[in-house]
Amino acid sequence: MIRDVLENSLNLPSNPSLKELFNEKLQEYGLSKTQFEKLANIQRRSLDGILDKTSKQTDVSNILKLSEFLDMPFDILLAYHLKDRSVEEIKDLQDSIEITFINRYFDLKTLALLGFIDKKFTVNELKKRICEFFKLSSIYEYGDELNEVLYSRTKRSFNDKMKDFWIKSSYKYFELIDNQNDYSREALKDLIPKIKPYTQNVDNGLLTVCRALYNVGVTIVFQPMVPKTQIRGATFLVNNKPCIVVTDLNKSYPTIWFSLLHELHHVLFDLEQLKQTRYHLTGEPDLFLIHEDKANQFASEYLISEEKMRYIEPLIHNHYMVDKFAKEIQIHPSIVYSQFQFRQAEIGNNYWGAFKEHFPVIDSLQANLNMSNWDVESLELAAQKIKELFTA
């Protein structure tokens, strides 16, 4: 509201002044200034401070009384009062508006933990960081520019600030990457059967697959999981082209590949619904559940069929046999163990802590994929780097 009042104050005519409007009303009611002061219980000094714009602070109760007397909406009278006020007072109000806006849309504590901001930032430093990162001319664009695109069919909740930040930054990131390759569903169908062997190359396999997918119009980015969310992956439709985010949730190498195949199922079969919702999150509650079971089944069957899992399960504690089996079906052994863990969890057995020594560390994978972390200077620069990486 204060933001609107300040904007209105800039557009008010110079004449008549608030003092002139007050005097006209006194004449209309046949009252003297002293009579009004007694009736409204306003001291002369306070009234003159409002009318002459000499008061150092705005007394809201007196503004309300004057609003009733002048038969003028409170926000309009406040705009009259603020017009031509001191630079210091206006700046204080603007700072108050801006920090309120920032606190409403951003989880500053979590963003500081991520390294996106410094917890000692001033209001101006916060504004600069947000605007430079998202390539905005004003912080208020953050609340306006993507809302119609991303939230026209869903209910936004300001309790989900980090999820909102993640969604908006991901969407903006894909807009800036702007994959120029046309999306071809047929080319994607031809490519998917060729993906599996690359799971065996921990350092560069995912990068190779991401480059191939980029060439058929599907943009993949790999990002850190954002605190206060459980997003495993997401599929966006940006400029009518499919875009996928895979996160490092649980830091699990097999989960990364499973998530990629899960999201590719959405690209193949759910694009029509994505045209309406614009994005789909995997791992978070979603009002538009887009065939999650089918996507999970697709990813599982693609990596290891039900028949093959039944064969290897009795031998799961024999690493030599698991390793030999994984090579035969051209996947990384950790994927076999991971699938076993999930299957056991479904029947109430907990194997999540088992086989850790056979799961690769994903540090090199993360480094090679040039992740867009939150300490980058801007999404524009991050987008340029990922384009260079995928087209090298």
Side-chain angles (χ1 to χ4, degrees):
M1 176 184 173
I2 301 177
R3 177 185 169 194
D4 294 334
V5 169
L6 283 175
E7 290 178 356
N8 288 338
S9 71
L10 299 174
N11 299 320
L12 288 172
S14 298
N15 292 307
S17 67
L18 187 57
K19 190 172 186 177
E20 289 169 336
L21 291 171
F22 175 73
N23 288 331
E24 287 175 7
K25 210 66 172 177
L26 286 178
Q27 285 186 334
E28 180 183 336
Y29 290 151
L31 293 173
S32 67
K33 189 176 181 181
T34 301
Q35 288 173 317
F36 169 77
E37 290 163 0
K38 289 181 178 179
L39 289 170
N41 193 24
I42 299 179
Q43 294 183 359
R44 172 66 60 94
R45 185 173 61 180
S46 298
L47 179 60
D48 287 344
I50 295 172
L51 297 176
D52 298 330
K53 300 182 185 293
T54 57
S55 60
K56 293 184 179 180
Q57 291 184 330
T58 300
D59 188 323
V60 175
S61 64
N62 287 338
I63 293 286
L64 280 168
K65 292 174 182 178
L66 198 55
S67 167
E68 289 293 323
F69 177 67
L70 295 176
D71 195 23
M72 181 184 293
F74 174 75
D75 58 329
I76 300 299
L77 180 56
L78 192 57
Y80 267 103
H81 174 66
L82 293 173
K83 184 176 177 61
D84 303 323
R85 295 287 295 183
S86 69
V87 173
E88 291 78 12
E89 183 177 355
I90 298 300
K91 186 179 183 305
D92 283 345
L93 281 170
Q94 286 176 328
D95 285 348
S96 174
I97 295 166
E98 287 166 351
I99 195 60
T100 298
F101 179 90
I102 290 170
N103 277 315
R104 186 184 186 205
Y105 279 92
F106 297 92
D107 183 338
L108 298 181
K109 183 178 180 181
T110 304
L111 289 175
L113 289 173
L114 280 173
F116 179 75
I117 59 171
D118 190 304
K119 61 182 179 181
K120 297 179 181 179
F121 271 1
T122 64
V123 175
N124 284 334
E125 288 171 329
L126 285 171
K127 285 164 45 184
K128 182 180 178 183
R129 174 64 176 132
I130 292 165
C131 290
E132 287 182 350
F133 183 75
F134 283 97
K135 197 182 176 184
L136 307 174
S137 57
S138 162
I139 58 167
Y140 301 115
E141 291 178 12
Y142 180 85
D144 299 334
E145 71 162 2
L146 292 177
N147 281 355
E148 184 176 348
V149 173
L150 296 178
Y151 299 113
S152 59
R153 292 175 180 270
T154 58
K155 183 179 179 181
R156 283 194 72 230
S157 169
F158 288 106
N159 295 324
D160 297 328
K161 295 177 188 178
M162 287 310 302
K163 185 165 73 173
D164 184 55
F165 176 85
W166 190 88
I167 291 168
K168 285 190 173 184
S169 61
S170 297
Y171 195 94
K172 186 77 171 181
Y173 190 28
F174 286 124
E175 278 191 324
L176 292 167
I177 292 173
D178 190 23
N179 189 342
Q180 294 299 299
N181 296 301
D182 291 332
Y183 167 61
S184 168
R185 188 174 189 271
E186 291 305 311
L188 176 60
K189 287 168 63 178
D190 290 340
L191 178 60
I192 284 178
K194 303 172 185 175
I195 290 175
K196 190 186 295 187
Y198 291 94
T199 65
Q200 300 169 101
N201 184 341
V202 175
D203 291 340
N204 295 301
L206 188 58
L207 174 57
T208 302
V209 170
C210 288
R211 283 172 170 165
L213 288 166
Y214 188 82
N215 287 331
V216 300
V218 182
T219 306
I220 313 291
V221 295
F222 182 53
Q223 292 188 353
M225 189 270 294
V226 174
K228 298 188 178 181
T229 71
Q230 289 295 312
I231 302 171
R232 187 180 74 199
T235 302
F236 290 79
L237 198 63
V238 183
N239 297 328
N240 238 14
K241 293 180 182 178
C243 303
I244 290 172
V245 182
V246 176
T247 76
D248 63 353
L249 181 66
N250 299 328
K251 311 293 183 185
S252 170
Y253 182 72
T255 300
I256 291 168
W257 286 102
F258 185 92
S259 298
L260 175 61
L261 271 301
H262 177 106
E263 301 306 327
L264 285 174
H265 180 275
H266 290 320
V267 172
L268 284 172
F269 300 105
D270 299 320
L271 278 193
E272 285 304 311
Q273 190 156 353
L274 282 166
K275 287 179 181 178
Q276 298 181 27
T277 61
R278 301 298 182 185
Y279 68 91
H280 168 72
L281 306 181
T282 300
E284 283 276 324
D286 196 329
L287 294 175
F288 301 92
L289 296 176
I290 308 179
H291 309 303
E292 290 295 83
D293 290 342
K294 289 183 179 179
N296 285 335
Q297 185 178 6
F298 171 83
S300 295
E301 282 292 314
Y302 175 87
L303 292 168
I304 312 176
S305 70
E306 176 79 17
E307 180 184 359
K308 287 183 170 63
M309 276 305 302
R310 284 199 300 268
Y311 165 78
I312 196 61
E313 278 183 324
L315 305 170
I316 199 70
H317 294 287
N318 185 330
H319 179 62
Y320 171 79
M321 292 301 295
V322 171
D323 191 56
K324 182 174 180 291
F325 171 77
K327 287 177 181 176
E328 289 174 357
I329 63 172
Q330 295 185 301
I331 60 171
H332 192 276
S334 64
I335 295 175
V336 180
Y337 291 118
S338 178
Q339 291 291 86
F340 175 79
Q341 289 171 333
F342 275 102
R343 286 166 65 88
Q344 288 298 308
E346 288 178 352
I347 59 175
N349 296 328
N350 186 347
Y351 276 83
W352 297 117
F355 318 115
K356 285 184 178 179
E357 67 273 22
H358 305 305
F359 283 65
V361 177
I362 64 172
D363 292 352
S364 59
L365 178 150
Q366 290 175 315
N368 288 342
L369 275 171
N370 191 28
M371 293 194 307
S372 169
N373 213 327
W374 318 122
D375 56 0
V376 295
E377 183 177 336
S378 71
L379 286 172
E380 185 176 29
L381 290 177
Q384 184 59 40
K385 288 180 181 178
I386 207 74
K387 287 178 74 170
E388 293 171 0
L389 186 68
F390 287 166
T391 55

